[in-house]
């Protein structure tokens, strides 16, 4: 049955005078819909990928509501003919999906989408800004590791809507389904080394001439070089966090992979990531992070697992000894984050919940006694909206005072002095993450328009061996769907190290852009050090799912490792700072 018969709604009664005021363009649209509906019914396309079309959001003043289903219907017809797709019938299903997505009902959205057996989901919008219009569509794909693709067509008036849909359909047909418009493509000059870094959403050409080389893995390098890179096999889990520490005191660093139901333990040995054990966790929790500290100074690291139970914070403390896990305490009513920095005593931070929101509670420095009771040592004063995972405290200027380094709610990197005054704020975005406070149901129940997202980790370490701390931070590229403020996704990311210079944090190194979402990262010491060389191992995890809600959840990730070397020679050797 054709998906377009709904457009044969020709009234049998006399037409009201108001209806005669429809523009010629509107009548032309209806005629095109009817002709394509008939053609599609008589010549159904071969069966191919199943594609579900949601109504377009029409944000244009005037009587253009008919375009909501009209635009998606014509796009469906074009793609059925050109790309040989199989449109999934059901205008009501598309409308119901749109209602769920706009209302933040992600569980209901995901269940209904799964029932459709669709391979692709397409929706979009028609928007007006000043005198110009823009037709936008997003193609979401079920295939693992493939995020949504955005297409845009500018148009000067509504009269050009059909031309815009036609152009867009050819672009989607070629780029997504491998059936390009049958015209001879113009030849383009071969890309040089720098142009090869450009993407659909490029950062500006690597900053200030710091582009190091086109070697895979490293963009900005400076005095660093990539020695080797390693990648695990696919891990079929929804990974929430990654960290690295020697958890049992045997001198070997373990890699901790926090999933939605367990803590997996890995080691990197003989150039391979292999598992050494796992610790089951309460599967009713939405987990946020795993951090570590040896608070009781017994040589064994405690692992702090932080998350939500519904709308409330709920954390646990676990140790690993003799290849066995021991739960020290669970159901702790704080979001816990332990901070361990070289040469400094460890600190435990805790954030309480609020009566109405899963985030935005007060943050304290905590102490825990032998009976498991927590004492609030002091309240941490931070800018509004900064959560317990979004900051750290360290001397990054080398002046013996401690600065607060944080990621703002708008994903800007910021440095405050000891008095709390702003010393510097980045112009670019850092730290965007897909994990969030609260569970899907608790966010839906409280009608939270945009959830509070958890930032990626701020790592303090001296990478260039000059005696002054550097800052390692992630740069996932968050993309927003402007007509659906609850929905965002990620178009790859990088990891950057910055150092304080001329009263600002400046790039020290940056990885090349990764295609997948970067979950988190940590710096490990390299297993072997050669004389005159300083190596370190950057370990991070990537997820194939590039959006935080609904759609198709691939639930898979990988562990990655870069062995990086600080190049030191007799002519250009950094000397440690005094003291």
């Amino acid at each position: 049955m054709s998906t377009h018969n709904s457009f044969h709604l020709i009234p049998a009664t006399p037409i009201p005078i108001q209806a005669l005021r429809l523009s010629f363009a509107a009548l032309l649209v209806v005629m095109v819909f009817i002709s394509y509906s008939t053609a599609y019914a008589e010549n159904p396309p071969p069966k191919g990928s199943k594609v579900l079309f949601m109504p377009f959001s029409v944000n244009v003043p005037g009587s253009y509501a008919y375009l909501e289903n009209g635009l998606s219907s014509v796009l469906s017809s074009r793609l059925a003919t050109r790309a040989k797709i199989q449109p999934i019938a059901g205008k009501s299903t598309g409308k119901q999906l749109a209602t769920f997505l706009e209302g933040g009902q992600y569980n209901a959205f995901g269940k209904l989408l799964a029932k459709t057996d669709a391979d692709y989901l397409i929706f979009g919008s028609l928007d007006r800004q000043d005198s110009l219009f823009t037709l936008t569509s997003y193609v979401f794909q079920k295939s693992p590791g493939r995020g949504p693709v955005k297409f845009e067509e500018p148009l000067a008036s509504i009269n050009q809507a059909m031309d815009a849909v036609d152009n867009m359909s050819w672009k989607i047909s070629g780029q997504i389904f491998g059936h390009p418009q049958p015209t001879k493509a113009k030849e383009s000059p071969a890309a040089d080394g720098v142009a090869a870094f450009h993407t659909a959403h490029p950062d500006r050409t690597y900053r200030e001439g710091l582009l190091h080389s086109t070697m895979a893995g490293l963009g900005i390098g400076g005095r660093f070089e990539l020695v080797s890179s390693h990648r695990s096999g696919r891990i079929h889990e929804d990974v929430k966090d990654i960290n690295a520490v020697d958890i049992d005191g045997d001198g070997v660093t373990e890699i901790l992979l926090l999933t939605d139901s367990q803590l997996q333990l890995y080691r990197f040995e003989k150039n391979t990531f292999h598992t050494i054990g796992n610790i089951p966790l309460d599967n009713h929790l939405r987990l946020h992070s795993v951090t570590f500290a040896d608070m009781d100074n017994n040589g064994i690291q405690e692992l702090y697992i932080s998350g939500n139970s519904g709308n409330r914070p709920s954390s646990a403390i676990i140790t690993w000894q003799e290849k066995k896990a021991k739960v020290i305490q669970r159901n702790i009513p704080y979001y816990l984050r332990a901070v361990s920095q070289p040469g400094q005593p460890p600190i435990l931070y805790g954030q309480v919940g609020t009566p109405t929101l899963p985030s935005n509670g007060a943050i304290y420095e905590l102490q825990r006694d032998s009976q498991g009771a927590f004492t609030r040592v002091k309240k941490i004063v931070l800018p509004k909206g900064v959560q317990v995972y979004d900051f750290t405290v360290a001397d990054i200027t080398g002046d013996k005072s401690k600065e607060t380094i944080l990621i703002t709610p708008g994903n800007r990197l910021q440095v405050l002095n000891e008095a709390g005054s702003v010393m510097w704020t980045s112009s670019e975005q850092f730290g965007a993450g897909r994990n969030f406070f609260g569970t899907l149901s608790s966010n839906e129940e409280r009608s939270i328009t945009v959830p509070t997202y958890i930032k990626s980790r701020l790592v303090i370490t001296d990478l260039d061996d000059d005696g002054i701390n550097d800052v390692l931070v992630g740069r996932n590229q968050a993309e927003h769907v402007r007509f659906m403020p609850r929905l965002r996704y990620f178009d790859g990311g990088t990891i950057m190290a910055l150092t304080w210079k001329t009263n600002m944090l400046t790039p020290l190194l940056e990885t090349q852009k990764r295609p997948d979402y970067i979950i988190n990262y940590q710096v490990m010491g390299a297993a072997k050090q050669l004389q005159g060389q300083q190596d370190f191992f950057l370990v991070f995890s990537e997820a194939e799912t590039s959006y935080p809600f609904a759609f198709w959840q691939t639930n898979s990730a990988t562990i990655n490792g870069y062995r990086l070397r600080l190049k030191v020679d007799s002519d250009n050797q950094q000397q440690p700072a005094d003291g």
Side-chain angles (χ1 to χ4, degrees):
M1 181 177 179
S2 171
T3 59
H4 309 293
N5 288 339
S6 57
F7 288 99
H8 293 281
L9 300 179
I10 302 174
T13 56
I15 301 174
I17 293 177
Q18 291 84 349
L20 297 175
R21 295 176 181 172
L22 285 173
S23 68
F24 174 77
L27 293 174
L28 179 61
V29 168
V30 175
M31 292 174 65
V32 173
F33 292 165
I34 293 172
S35 64
Y36 266 86
S37 175
T38 303
Y40 182 69
E42 294 176 354
N43 302 291
K47 290 185 178 181
S49 298
K50 296 179 180 179
V51 183
L52 181 62
F53 293 82
M54 281 168 46
F56 273 57
S57 174
V58 178
N59 306 308
V60 176
S63 302
Y64 299 109
Y66 62 89
L67 290 175
E68 291 181 358
N69 290 305
L71 292 169
S72 62
S73 180
V74 171
L75 184 59
S76 171
S77 296
R78 299 291 202 277
L79 289 175
T81 302
R82 295 167 177 174
K84 311 304 179 185
I85 66 162
Q86 181 182 348
I88 296 178
K91 183 176 68 174
S92 60
T93 300
K95 186 173 181 60
Q96 191 172 10
L97 283 169
T99 300
F100 286 152
L101 194 57
E102 291 167 356
Q105 296 175 271
Y106 301 111
N107 281 323
F109 178 93
K111 289 178 181 178
L112 180 57
L113 180 60
K115 288 181 180 179
T116 68
D117 196 31
D119 301 306
Y120 296 82
L121 176 69
I122 299 180
F123 62 81
S125 70
L126 178 63
D127 302 275
R128 178 177 180 177
Q129 185 175 7
D130 299 327
S131 60
L132 298 178
F133 300 84
T134 303
L135 183 68
T136 307
S137 71
Y138 292 85
V139 181
F140 288 82
Q141 311 171 52
K142 189 177 182 179
S143 301
R146 302 184 68 182
V149 182
K150 178 182 178 181
F151 296 86
E152 282 190 336
E153 286 291 326
L155 51 156
S157 71
I158 293 293
N159 295 359
Q160 299 175 355
M162 289 304 99
D163 289 336
V165 171
D166 191 69
N167 291 337
M168 181 175 288
S169 69
W170 274 122
K171 291 179 180 179
I172 296 174
S173 178
Q175 185 171 336
I176 302 299
F177 300 106
H179 293 276
Q181 188 172 6
T183 56
K184 186 177 180 179
K186 294 181 180 180
E187 294 184 1
S188 58
D192 58 22
V194 175
F197 283 94
H198 292 177
T199 69
H201 301 279
D203 296 329
R204 68 172 181 254
T205 302
Y206 279 106
R207 302 152 193 80
E208 303 170 3
L210 289 174
L211 184 63
H212 176 57
S213 71
T214 56
M215 181 193 298
L218 197 60
I220 294 175
R223 295 178 54 235
F224 295 89
E225 63 179 343
L226 177 65
V227 178
S228 60
S229 63
H230 308 271
R231 185 178 180 91
S232 73
R234 183 178 294 174
I235 300 165
H236 295 280
E237 295 279 358
D238 185 7
V239 177
K240 305 296 186 182
D241 196 14
I242 187 173
N243 219 322
V245 66
D246 177 8
I247 59 174
D248 52 9
D250 66 352
V252 179
T253 299
E254 282 77 32
I255 299 168
L256 319 175
L257 209 66
L258 182 66
T259 76
D260 56 357
S261 62
Q262 61 181 317
L263 185 66
Q264 296 184 357
L265 309 179
Y266 287 80
R267 282 183 176 171
F268 180 72
E269 295 175 322
K270 297 180 179 180
N271 295 326
T272 302
F273 297 99
H274 63 92
T275 183
I276 62 169
N278 66 82
I279 303 173
L281 302 171
D282 293 332
N283 57 16
H284 69 279
L285 301 177
R286 180 172 185 85
L287 300 173
H288 299 165
S289 74
V290 52
T291 53
F292 55 85
D294 181 11
M295 290 290 186
D296 53 10
N297 295 313
N298 67 349
I300 302 297
Q301 301 285 339
E302 301 99 43
L303 306 180
Y304 296 82
I305 313 295
S306 182
N308 274 106
S309 177
N311 198 46
R312 298 177 294 102
S314 181
S315 295
I317 305 174
I318 300 171
T319 60
W320 177 266
Q321 298 181 55
E322 298 179 354
K323 298 182 180 181
K324 293 182 180 179
K326 179 181 180 182
V327 178
I328 305 300
Q329 194 171 347
R330 54 163 39 104
N331 300 323
I332 302 169
Y334 289 95
Y335 302 115
L336 293 181
R337 181 173 71 94
V339 177
S340 297
Q341 296 178 6
Q344 301 292 327
I347 299 175
L348 181 63
Y349 295 109
Q351 181 175 359
V352 298
T354 66
T356 57
L357 295 172
S359 61
N360 296 328
I363 301 172
Y364 300 93
E365 182 180 333
L366 301 176
Q367 282 186 348
R368 177 182 176 276
D369 64 25
S370 59
Q371 304 302 313
F374 289 88
T375 301
R376 297 174 179 179
V377 177
K378 64 178 179 180
K379 185 176 181 179
I380 307 300
V381 179
L382 295 165
K384 184 179 180 180
V386 177
Q387 312 297 331
V388 70
Y389 308 111
D390 305 349
F391 77 98
T392 194
V393 179
D395 176 14
I396 62 169
T397 63
D399 63 356
K400 309 302 182 184
S401 64
K402 290 188 177 181
E403 291 76 37
T404 298
I405 306 95
L406 60 89
I407 303 171
T408 70
N411 297 323
R412 305 293 178 182
L413 190 59
Q414 193 170 81
V415 180
L416 312 180
N417 62 19
E418 286 187 324
S421 299
V422 176
M423 300 172 64
W424 174 80
T425 303
S426 69
S427 59
E428 297 176 307
Q429 294 194 356
F430 293 84
R434 69 173 189 177
N435 205 355
F436 53 89
F437 286 88
T439 61
L440 283 175
S441 58
S442 67
N443 276 278
E444 289 176 16
E445 290 167 1
R446 288 158 182 81
S447 299
I448 297 175
T449 303
V450 179
T452 300
Y453 289 98
I454 295 167
K455 306 297 190 293
S456 59
R457 181 172 293 117
L458 288 163
V459 177
I460 301 298
T461 183
D462 181 10
L463 293 178
D464 57 3
D465 199 31
D466 65 352
I468 300 175
N469 287 319
D470 307 310
V471 180
L472 189 77
V473 63
R475 298 194 65 212
N476 284 312
Q477 186 169 322
E479 299 290 336
H480 300 267
V481 179
R482 61 177 175 270
F483 57 92
M484 285 189 179
R486 295 172 184 259
L487 179 61
R488 74 172 180 175
Y489 60 94
F490 295 91
D491 182 36
T494 67
I495 302 172
M496 178 181 278
L498 303 102
T499 189
W500 188 261
K501 186 177 181 181
T502 61
N503 298 317
M504 63 183 297
L505 283 173
T506 60
L508 189 62
L509 68 86
E510 184 175 19
T511 64
Q512 283 189 10
K513 185 176 179 181
R514 305 289 304 184
D516 296 329
Y517 168 79
I518 297 173
I519 298 170
N520 235 328
Y521 37 81
Q522 186 57 270
V523 174
M524 300 166 51
K528 295 180 180 179
Q529 299 288 355
L530 300 177
Q531 186 175 3
Q533 294 176 337
Q534 180 69 36
D535 288 10
F536 61 92
F537 196 71
L538 174 62
V539 62
F540 60 99
S541 182
E542 286 183 303
E544 291 185 335
T545 302
S546 62
Y547 25 83
F549 296 122
F551 299 101
W552 300 274
Q553 298 298 318
T554 58
N555 291 334
S556 63
T558 57
I559 305 174
N560 299 265
Y562 287 171
R563 184 183 176 106
L564 297 167
R565 176 168 298 159
L566 173 65
K567 295 178 290 185
V568 179
D569 55 48
S570 57
D571 297 325
N572 185 27
Q573 187 166 355
Q574 294 275 357
Q575 296 296 328
D578 293 340

